[in-house]
Amino acid sequence: MAQRRFFSSPLDQQRDQLDGCWELDCDIDPLILRARVLHRRGEVTWAVGLEQEVLPIV
C-alpha cells in the first residue's frame, strides 16, 4: 500500500476521494463529473447542455 504524505494538497485530496470511489465500484460517467464542475464554476448554460447529452433516450 502506498504511503500517505503528512501534508497533502487539495488535488491530492481529490485524487484520494476519486480512488475511494473506484474502490467502491462507483461508475460515474466523466460527462456527469464535468457537468458538476461547470455548475460549480457558474457556467450553467454549458452544464445544462452537457447534461442533455447524458440523458437517456426514452
Side-chain angles (χ1 to χ4, degrees):
M1 181 177 258
Q3 292 180 341
R4 301 249 181 215
R5 288 181 246 160
F6 185 69
F7 297 103
S8 63
S9 71
L11 185 57
D12 289 334
Q13 292 171 353
Q14 289 175 347
R15 285 185 186 133
D16 288 343
Q17 289 174 343
L18 184 58
D19 287 342
C21 183
W22 290 121
E23 290 173 6
L24 296 173
D25 293 327
C26 292
D27 187 17
I28 300 176
D29 191 294
L31 292 175
I32 294 171
L33 293 173
R34 180 69 179 148
R36 289 179 183 175
V37 169
L38 291 170
H39 273 293
R40 285 188 204 122
R41 290 184 182 169
E43 299 177 29
V44 178
T45 304
W46 287 99
V48 170
L50 190 56
E51 288 169 348
Q52 294 297 313
E53 293 294 322
V54 298
L55 288 176
I57 299 173
V58 181

